[in-house]
Amino acid sequence: MAYSDKVIDHYNNPRNVGALDKSSADVGTAVVGAPECGDVMKLQIKVEEGKIVDAKFKTFGCGSAIASSSLATEWVKGKSLDEALQIKNMDIVEELALPPVKIHCSVLAEDAIKSAIADYKSKQGAQPQEKTG
Amino acid sequence: MKTPIYLDNHATTPVDPRVLEVMLPYFTHKFGNAASRNHAFGWEAEEAVDRARQQVGALVGADAKEIIFTSGATESNNLAILGAAQFLGENGGHIITCRTEHKAVLDPARYLESKGFRVTWLGVDANGSISLEELERAMTPDTLLVSLMAANNEVGTLHPLEEIGKICADKNVLFHTDATQGVGHMNIDVARMNIGLLSMSAHKIYGPKGVGALYVRRRRKPRVKLSPLLHGGGHEWGLRSGTLNVPGIAGFGEAARLISAEGQAETQRILALRERLHQGITERLGHIKLNGHPTLRHPGNLNLSFAYVEGESLLMGMDDVAVSSGSACTSASLEPSYVLRALGVGDDLAHSSIRFGLGRFTTQQEIDHVIQRVTAVVNRLREMSPLYEMAQEGIDLSKVKWQQAH
């Protein structure tokens, strides 16, 4: 299977590989996928005043999965939570020119964004007043 | 050193230049049809086919008259299994094979199952070996055929042909072996191993694609009879009609002659390179699992799982090395290798597997380069693997509740 230039670029130069402190209240963490399925994405966002100021990922998966998550971190940075929730898997498919058999990689990346935001929101819900003061 | 480096010799091998040399005249001035009995063009072609028949037969200890030329091992396997079943089992019957066989054995057997034959699918242990006791226990009075391969194409495990042949002979059951991968690299003797049918392919032994052979026991008893699949001009003793592929067959003959003469030394050389590759990788990287039997395996085969790294991304990082992966991401099915599954390899490690297939033209320089490349790419991918991170944190990955994509 031939990869698009953009997939190859993200694979060779992945953006935002790394980890944020998952115990921190302003960090939302998602781990989606399963090793048995050949894809696991970990995506983390750091939120300040409703804006995603940083994002990191680690991915176990094929080149398209790595590229999808790398692109997702690039796209969410600087966005508000509501804006980030608007990112759809088909936007990723289009940007990376993913073939039909790789669409699940983009689905996983969308899930990762949503799940990281949900994790952040649940942390905020659980301890809403901690940071004032 | 030329790149990309070819380490996929189980998929196919290049035609040896010496083989090509022998083939060329049969495309041009020696173009006759081997079935033309009344002129020199035909005689010349027939002579080439007869010579090749003898050379291919000699590779497995068979007589020239016991070799049927086919279009490849898939056809040989189909002719062996369907041909034997049709001839022996007019009222159905029982066939024994194994879950790790090539699709060209599994699918004909499955087809016969749909036509009323009973099939026993033997399992394998973690090394890919069958149990001889289980084979013996599976045999019933209506067992017509046992089909078990010489060397597995994915994990390289060798089946004990001599012991299997002995059990079959004792029970008077026909024994077919798909020797596509093993032939030339292991000592195969159809008489000593009580083999009744044996499939081979030219392009796995540095001959051309599109040519194979089926050994059919005739010289010794019990003589094997088959129903043909292809009907027509009655070529190959009526077992395989169709004009013979004379250049291909001439090449197959030469390829067989070369590997008969050089195979033993070649096997030692390839084996040493494979050990160098295996050792080189395991010295530099942890969390590596060897798939297949540690010792009873094809000399050119090294199948490794690199934990926490997905196979396709690994291949992508080694774009100057041609290997294959058990990860299904390379196919449309998204299912990992059925062979690795049969060995009990978890789907996670199956997704992380790479098959290295060394061959005649593999050099030490290439192996050393591959060791460097694999090490660098695996280290890089592990750095960005959430599974590796979790494992480093001491998390038991088998106990994690994974959130699936929907």
Side-chain angles (χ1 to χ4, degrees):
Chain A
M1 188 188 319
Y3 298 97
S4 71
D5 290 344
K6 282 183 178 158
V7 169
I8 292 170
D9 181 42
H10 276 282
Y11 174 84
N12 286 328
N13 310 292
R15 323 320 188 232
N16 309 309
V17 171
L20 300 169
D21 177 9
K22 65 178 170 235
S23 62
S24 169
D26 55 3
V27 169
T29 300
V31 179
V32 297
E36 297 77 40
C37 306
D39 297 291
V40 177
M41 284 181 193
K42 179 181 154 212
L43 190 137
Q44 293 183 300
I45 53 169
K46 185 181 162 116
V47 184
E48 276 173 14
E49 290 164 7
K51 252 199 162 71
I52 298 173
V53 294
D54 199 4
K56 296 281 181 203
F57 86 96
K58 285 196 176 187
T59 290
F60 162 85
C62 63
S64 302
I66 291 171
S68 295
S69 36
S70 169
L71 180 66
T73 57
E74 223 177 10
W75 276 358
V76 297
K77 268 207 218 176
K79 284 196 167 66
S80 70
L81 297 181
D82 285 342
E83 285 166 347
L85 286 170
Q86 297 309 307
I87 296 170
K88 292 283 170 277
N89 81 293
M90 287 314 289
D91 304 333
I92 294 169
V93 169
E94 203 172 309
E95 173 68 15
L96 297 176
L98 297 181
V101 295
K102 296 298 185 187
I103 287 177
H104 71 278
C105 299
S106 69
V107 173
L108 212 54
E110 186 190 319
D111 279 357
I113 296 171
K114 294 203 159 79
S115 171
I117 291 173
D119 180 59
Y120 168 75
K121 284 182 174 169
S122 77
K123 279 183 176 174
Q124 297 303 304
Q127 35 178 266
Q129 309 308 326
E130 296 282 291
K131 289 180 73 190
T132 54
Chain B
M1 187 178 65
K2 257 176 44 188
T3 57
I5 293 165
Y6 189 72
L7 282 188
D8 203 10
N9 284 283
H10 301 310
T12 192
T13 58
V15 172
D16 190 299
R18 296 169 291 180
V19 169
L20 180 65
E21 202 61 35
V22 169
M23 292 171 69
L24 288 174
Y26 297 97
F27 286 106
T28 52
H29 60 281
K30 294 183 179 180
F31 61 85
N33 185 330
S36 297
R37 291 279 158 76
N38 46 3
H39 52 65
F41 294 90
W43 300 332
E44 199 165 58
E46 193 185 17
E47 205 179 283
V49 170
D50 285 347
R51 184 167 51 243
R53 219 184 278 288
Q54 189 272 325
Q55 291 165 326
V56 170
L59 188 54
V60 293
D63 196 78
K65 289 191 172 60
E66 299 175 302
I67 298 298
I68 306 294
F69 286 115
T70 67
S71 63
T74 292
E75 188 191 331
S76 299
N77 286 335
N78 273 265
L79 177 57
I81 295 166
L82 301 179
Q86 271 169 31
F87 190 89
L88 297 170
E90 278 171 34
N91 307 312
H94 179 224
I95 293 161
I96 301 173
T97 183
C98 174
R99 292 183 196 285
T100 56
E101 291 292 313
H102 192 273
K103 287 269 171 76
V105 166
L106 296 179
D107 279 3
R110 217 168 271 144
Y111 170 78
L112 289 172
E113 203 173 32
S114 77
K115 295 287 169 195
F117 286 81
R118 203 160 55 79
V119 179
T120 297
W121 310 93
L122 295 175
V124 292
D125 63 15
N127 291 331
S129 302
I130 58 158
S131 148
L132 292 171
E133 291 78 44
E134 202 182 320
L135 169 66
E136 208 164 351
R137 272 201 310 274
M139 286 189 172
T140 54
D142 67 338
T143 304
L144 309 172
L145 176 71
V146 168
S147 180
L148 292 167
M149 71 204 319
N152 186 273
N153 51 301
E154 280 192 43
V155 295
T157 301
L158 309 180
H159 280 157
L161 299 184
E162 193 160 354
E163 286 84 345
I164 295 166
K166 189 174 179 313
I167 293 171
C168 292
D170 287 348
K171 308 260 177 180
N172 202 17
V173 171
L174 175 58
F175 174 29
H176 165 246
T177 188
D178 173 4
T180 307
Q181 296 289 348
V183 79
H185 288 298
M186 52 194 278
N187 197 355
I188 296 183
D189 185 321
V190 290
R192 183 164 51 84
M193 297 173 166
N194 286 302
I195 295 166
L197 295 162
L198 179 145
S199 304
M200 287 181 265
S201 177
H203 78 101
K204 308 289 191 190
I205 57 165
Y206 313 93
K209 293 166 187 63
V211 198
L214 181 66
Y215 156 78
V216 182
R217 184 173 57 214
R218 293 158 184 265
R219 212 172 47 164
R220 287 178 204 80
K221 288 188 176 161
R223 289 174 60 170
V224 175
K225 295 200 170 145
L226 301 174
S227 297
L229 304 181
L230 299 181
H231 303 269
H235 307 75
E236 303 296 272
W237 297 280
L239 279 178
R240 203 277 185 180
S241 288
T243 297
L244 292 174
N245 170 5
V246 178
I249 289 169
F252 191 5
E254 179 67 4
R257 187 186 73 77
L258 289 172
I259 208 160
S260 293
E262 302 168 3
Q264 215 170 353
E266 189 172 303
T267 299
Q268 289 314 309
R269 195 186 71 86
I270 292 173
L271 193 60
L273 288 178
R274 185 193 73 192
E275 289 312 304
R276 186 182 181 90
L277 177 62
H278 188 192
Q279 205 183 336
I281 290 173
T282 46
E283 270 171 7
R284 288 166 179 79
L285 292 169
H287 312 288
I288 305 276
K289 180 184 182 297
L290 175 70
N291 297 310
H293 201 286
T295 52
L296 297 173
R297 70 187 295 136
H298 187 292
N301 178 285
L302 183 65
N303 189 314
L304 298 177
S305 285
F306 297 86
Y308 319 123
V309 172
E310 194 274 334
E312 189 186 331
S313 64
L314 185 46
L315 295 194
M316 200 173 162
M318 303 195 293
D319 54 359
D320 59 353
V321 184
V323 291
S324 98
S325 168
S327 167
C329 272
T330 46
S331 70
S333 72
L334 302 180
E335 292 287 312
S337 150
Y338 68 91
V339 172
L340 292 175
R341 274 190 171 171
L343 268 68
V345 177
D347 282 359
D348 51 340
L349 280 179
H351 278 295
S352 304
S353 78
I354 298 284
R355 178 186 71 182
F356 301 90
L358 288 70
R360 177 174 295 171
F361 302 104
T362 306
T363 66
Q364 184 172 314
Q365 197 189 7
E366 288 177 334
I367 291 301
D368 290 346
H369 177 82
V370 172
I371 293 169
Q372 298 303 330
R373 263 327 271 266
V374 170
T375 307
V377 177
V378 169
N379 278 332
R380 182 173 94 84
L381 292 174
R382 280 184 177 166
E383 280 310 304
M384 64 163 95
S385 166
L387 304 182
Y388 188 62
E389 182 184 79
M390 291 161 95
Q392 298 293 94
E393 288 168 3
I395 297 169
D396 182 350
L397 296 175
S398 65
K399 299 216 164 72
V400 176
K401 199 167 168 289
W402 300 101
Q403 185 184 338
Q404 307 275 343
H406 36 74

